[in-house]
Amino acid sequence: FFMVNLSKPGYLTACLRYFQQRLDADMSNWDAAFAEAWTSRDMVDCILSYAATALVRLLLSPEGEEKLACLKRHPKESRQFLLLAYLYSHADSASLRALRKALRPPRLS
């Protein structure tokens, strides 16, 4: 199981700051802009982003080797997870490249 703990310090703050930038809101109009624009989709986006980022970190850590090996045995799920990681995670490009290399079979030339 994987549980998302939104009370982790800093994460929801970072999500809200990004949302504030997307709205082009400043501190003087933030409350009104937030109340008007924030939807449950935005909360789901925050949760997915947090989960995808945490899972990428986990799979690339020594503790995640077994989980990564399990995912490798399922090509369809590997592709789906890579898509999720690329669309939602805030992982750096080197981490995403390492994940892609670990999950995708080498190309035949």
Side-chain angles (χ1 to χ4, degrees):
F1 293 103
F2 185 81
M3 188 169 245
V4 175
N5 180 3
L6 290 179
S7 66
K8 183 176 180 180
Y11 181 73
L12 196 54
T13 303
C15 182
L16 289 171
R17 282 206 177 109
Y18 176 72
F19 188 73
Q20 184 179 18
Q21 289 172 347
R22 266 188 17 220
L23 294 176
D24 198 26
D26 56 26
M27 292 311 287
S28 65
N29 66 350
W30 170 235
D31 288 338
F34 177 81
E36 185 178 311
W38 183 262
T39 66
S40 57
R41 286 187 309 249
D42 298 306
M43 180 57 84
V44 170
D45 188 57
C46 282
I47 293 169
L48 272 174
S49 175
Y50 176 80
T53 304
L55 286 170
V56 167
R57 276 193 215 120
L58 173 67
L59 289 175
L60 294 176
S61 72
E63 297 84 32
E65 287 178 9
E66 186 179 325
K67 291 170 181 57
L68 185 61
C70 180
L71 190 55
K72 280 172 143 177
R73 291 191 297 270
H74 304 281
K76 181 181 176 186
E77 287 80 2
S78 292
R79 286 190 306 274
Q80 290 172 340
F81 182 75
L82 277 173
L83 183 60
L84 176 79
Y86 272 89
L87 290 175
Y88 283 100
S89 78
H90 290 286
D92 59 280
S93 60
S95 296
L96 292 172
R97 206 171 23 255
L99 184 65
R100 185 179 64 236
K101 185 178 179 183
L103 292 176
R104 301 291 295 157
R107 289 185 174 172
L108 302 175
S109 24

